[in-house]
Amino acid sequence: MKGQKYLGIYAGEETATVVCLSLEGRKYTFLGSFSVSSEGDGAGLKEIAALIAKNCAEKLPIDAETEVTVSLDCSLFMQHNVHSEFQDIKQIRQTVRFDTEEALASDISESALSFEAISSDDKGSSLTVFTVRHKIMSDILLSLQSNNIDPVSVEPDVHSLTRYILHNSSADEVQKNLYGILSRDRGYFLVASQGGTEAKMPPRTFLLKSGQDRNTLIQREIPLTMAMAGGLGRAGLYIYDSTDSVDPVRAGQALGIEAKAFDLASQASGSGVNNCDPVGFAIAYGAALAHTEKNEGINFREDYLPYQGRRVQFQNAVKILSIILTILVLAIGVKVHLPLLERNNEHRELLKKFSVDYLAIMVSKTQLPGSLKTAKKTREDEFKRIRQTKSGLNAGGTATIQAKLTLVLKAFNKCAAQTNLVIDKITVSDKNVLITGKTSNRNNTLKFLEAVKEDMEISNVAYK
C-alpha cells in the first residue's frame, strides 16, 4: 500500500484499540483495526504493548515510517481547570506548570502535563490542563519502544474523540453541537464546531459504574454540561450509547431540548469496527488523525520525553550533514584562495621593495601614492627628468645653463689661442647665451664664430 501510514492507539490499563490509516494526496484509506486485552495478571501496559506489536505485525501493513500516536484512556490522567495570566501560547507553555501547581496547591513534578486553551480575554486565558504520572508515561513509552513502536505524541482520549467527530462531520450538520458519548464504562461530554475548530468548552470525561442508570445520568449531566458550555451546545444534542440503553427522545423531552441518536463508528466512511468497541475505535481513529492539526500543548510526550524517533533523527542527520557540507565548502574555499593569498604576499614583498627604490629616487616624497599606477607614472617622469638633465636638457626639452656653458667653453678652447680671443662678459639665460669680447682682427673673429657654430646656433652678431 502506497502513501504515508498513520497508526492510532487508544491505550488503557487492560485494553487497547488500534486503527491504521493511509494517506495518499488528500484521501484517507482505512487499512484495518483490532482490539487487544491483557490476561489480568498484573502485567498491564507491558503485555498490552507486546500484544499491540504482535497484532500490528500480523494484521496491519505498517512499516518503519508509520507515524504513531497514543491516546490515553481517561482513567490514566486527571483533568483540571486552570487560569493563566497570558494569552500567547508560548508564554502559557512556559508558565502552565507553575499555574497548575498553584491552582492545585500540590506538587506535580512527577507528572507530565498537556493543556488546551478554552478562552482568552484581557485578564488571561482559561485552560483545561491534563496531568498524567511519569510512571504511566514511562511504562507506555518503554513498553512500546521495546516492541519497535515509538509514538510521536501522547494525548488525552477526549481530544482524539473530538478530532474524530470533527473530521467525519458532514458539511450540512448543525454547528456547535453537544455530544454525549457513552461506552461500556466511560462517558464523554464535549462540544464540537464544524470546520475543524476545537471545542471551546472544557470536555468532560468520567467513569461509569456497572448497572448505572444511563438515562438518569444523561438527564443529570447534560444541563450541567450545557451550563458550562455557555452559548455553545445550543444547536443540538447528539447522544451515542454503546449499550443502546439510552433513549435520546425521552432524554430530550425530559430536558426540554431536541436530542438525536447518531452512529459513532459509521461516521468514518469505508471503515469497519472489526469487533472493536465503537467508542474505542473512534478514539483510536482520531489519534491516527493527530497529524492533521498543529498541537499547541495537547501532547503529554512533549512535556515528558520529546519524540526522538526516525523523523527527528533524520532531521538531525540533515542538520549535521548541512554543517559538514558547510565546513567542506569553507575548506574548499580556503584551498582555492591559498594561492591567491600567497600571490598577495609576493605582491606585498615586491611593493615593499618598490617603495624603498621609489623613495630613494623621489627625494621630496615620504610615502608611496595611494595608487601603484600613480607611483609608477611619477617614477617614470623622474627617470625622464634625470636622463634629460644628464643629456643637458631641462624639463621643457631645451639645453640647461650648464650645458650651454659647456658648449661655450668648448668653442673657446678650440680657437682662443689662434684668435687672441678676449672675453669681456658672458650672459646665460634659459634661451640665449650673450658673449661680449674681441679678437685681434676680423679674420680671427670669423674663426671664432665658425668654432661656435659647430655646437651652437648663432642668432645674431654685432660688430663695433
Side-chain angles (χ1 to χ4, degrees):
M1 181 71 67
K2 296 181 180 180
Q4 174 65 47
K5 300 182 183 65
Y6 299 95
L7 195 70
I9 301 175
Y10 168 48
E13 286 186 308
E14 298 181 354
T15 62
T17 302
V18 180
V19 171
C20 186
L21 305 176
S22 175
L23 177 61
E24 296 183 55
R26 297 184 178 181
K27 181 181 179 181
Y28 285 95
T29 302
F30 174 75
L31 301 182
S33 63
F34 63 84
S35 291
V36 294
S37 300
S38 65
E39 298 297 331
D41 56 358
L45 292 173
K46 293 182 180 179
E47 182 182 354
I48 291 294
L51 291 172
I52 290 173
K54 178 182 177 182
N55 281 270
C56 283
E58 295 176 353
K59 299 178 181 180
L60 300 178
I62 63 174
D63 51 38
E65 301 302 322
T66 300
E67 189 172 301
V68 182
T69 300
V70 173
S71 183
L72 290 185
D73 181 71
C74 60
S75 64
L76 300 178
F77 63 85
M78 297 183 66
Q79 179 176 334
H80 319 279
N81 295 326
V82 177
H83 178 77
S84 172
E85 296 180 355
F86 302 101
Q87 301 178 24
D88 181 70
I89 196 69
K90 293 181 179 179
Q91 293 178 308
I92 294 174
R93 184 179 289 111
Q94 293 172 356
T95 59
V96 64
R97 179 171 291 275
F98 304 104
D99 294 333
T100 304
E101 286 188 341
E102 183 178 353
L104 301 181
S106 61
D107 182 20
I108 59 169
S109 60
E110 294 300 318
S111 297
L113 179 148
S114 68
F115 68 91
E116 180 179 17
I118 301 302
S119 62
S120 297
D121 54 28
D122 295 339
K123 296 181 180 180
S125 301
S126 297
L127 311 176
T128 296
V129 177
F130 305 94
T131 57
V132 58
R133 289 184 292 112
H134 284 173
K135 177 66 167 57
I136 294 175
M137 287 293 296
S138 176
D139 288 346
I140 291 173
L141 293 177
L142 293 178
S143 299
L144 289 174
Q145 288 171 347
S146 65
N147 289 277
N148 298 319
I149 298 176
D150 192 10
V152 173
S153 61
V154 180
E155 62 184 19
D157 57 355
V158 66
H159 190 68
S160 302
L161 183 58
T162 303
R163 185 188 298 115
Y164 171 82
I165 293 174
L166 290 171
H167 180 79
N168 293 293
S169 296
S170 59
D172 58 349
E173 283 188 358
V174 180
Q175 294 189 11
K176 298 182 180 180
N177 296 320
L178 173 62
Y179 292 87
I181 300 171
L182 306 178
S183 67
R184 287 189 295 269
D185 50 7
R186 304 286 188 272
Y188 304 90
F189 289 106
L190 54 94
V191 172
S193 297
Q194 181 66 29
T197 303
E198 290 296 331
K200 294 303 177 183
M201 179 204 81
R204 302 186 61 204
T205 62
F206 48 88
L207 302 178
L208 297 177
K209 297 178 181 179
S210 176
Q212 188 173 4
D213 187 344
R214 299 189 172 214
N215 283 287
T216 302
L217 174 70
I218 288 290
Q219 294 174 28
R220 182 181 71 245
E221 296 295 336
I222 289 296
L224 178 60
T225 304
M226 293 182 69
M228 292 176 62
L232 300 174
R234 302 291 183 180
L237 172 62
Y238 287 80
I239 299 175
Y240 173 79
D241 178 23
S242 61
T243 63
D244 289 328
S245 59
V246 175
D247 183 356
V249 177
R250 175 186 166 189
Q253 290 174 347
L255 295 171
I257 58 175
E258 182 181 2
K260 299 178 182 179
F262 79 108
D263 189 351
L264 183 69
S266 65
Q267 278 194 326
S269 177
S271 61
V273 176
N274 293 342
N275 298 321
C276 301
D277 173 63
V279 178
F281 174 85
I283 294 173
Y285 198 109
L289 295 170
H291 65 281
T292 61
E293 65 183 34
K294 181 180 179 182
N295 263 339
E296 292 290 358
I298 312 175
N299 182 3
F300 289 118
R301 178 156 195 186
E302 187 175 303
D303 181 62
Y304 174 67
L305 183 65
Y307 175 66
Q308 293 293 327
R310 289 182 176 86
R311 175 175 294 180
V312 174
Q313 291 172 359
F314 175 76
Q315 293 173 349
N316 291 336
V318 170
K319 291 180 181 178
I320 293 172
L321 181 60
S322 299
I323 294 172
I324 293 173
L325 288 175
T326 301
I327 295 173
L328 182 61
V329 169
L330 290 174
I332 293 173
V334 170
K335 185 176 181 180
V336 170
H337 283 80
L338 273 178
L340 298 178
L341 295 175
E342 292 176 357
R343 286 190 177 184
N344 286 338
N345 290 333
E346 294 176 0
H347 176 74
R348 281 193 291 270
E349 289 298 324
L350 291 173
L351 189 60
K352 185 177 180 181
K353 293 180 180 179
F354 177 80
S355 176
V356 173
D357 295 339
Y358 177 84
L359 296 177
I361 297 170
M362 308 296 293
V363 180
S364 60
K365 304 290 185 181
T366 59
Q367 62 181 11
L368 285 175
S371 169
L372 184 60
K373 184 177 180 181
T374 304
K376 291 174 65 177
K377 185 177 184 304
T378 55
R379 185 195 63 172
E380 294 298 329
D381 290 344
E382 185 65 15
F383 281 159
K384 182 178 179 181
R385 187 191 67 79
I386 293 172
R387 286 193 294 266
Q388 287 178 340
T389 301
K390 288 184 176 181
S391 63
L393 300 176
N394 57 22
T398 60
T400 62
I401 294 174
Q402 181 182 0
K404 292 174 181 177
L405 286 175
T406 302
L407 295 175
V408 169
L409 292 175
K410 181 180 178 182
F412 290 171
N413 292 331
K414 287 181 180 180
C415 63
Q418 295 89 350
T419 61
N420 296 319
L421 178 64
V422 177
I423 301 299
D424 296 328
K425 183 181 179 182
I426 300 176
T427 304
V428 181
S429 65
D430 291 339
K431 297 183 178 180
N432 300 308
V433 178
L434 177 61
I435 303 172
T436 304
K438 59 186 177 179
T439 60
S440 58
N441 54 52
R442 180 63 62 92
N443 290 332
N444 288 337
T445 300
L446 293 175
K447 288 180 181 180
F448 171 72
L449 293 176
E450 290 297 329
V452 172
K453 286 181 180 180
E454 290 181 7
D455 297 302
M456 303 177 69
E457 181 181 351
I458 299 175
S459 60
N460 187 26
V461 178
Y463 296 96
K464 290 184 179 180

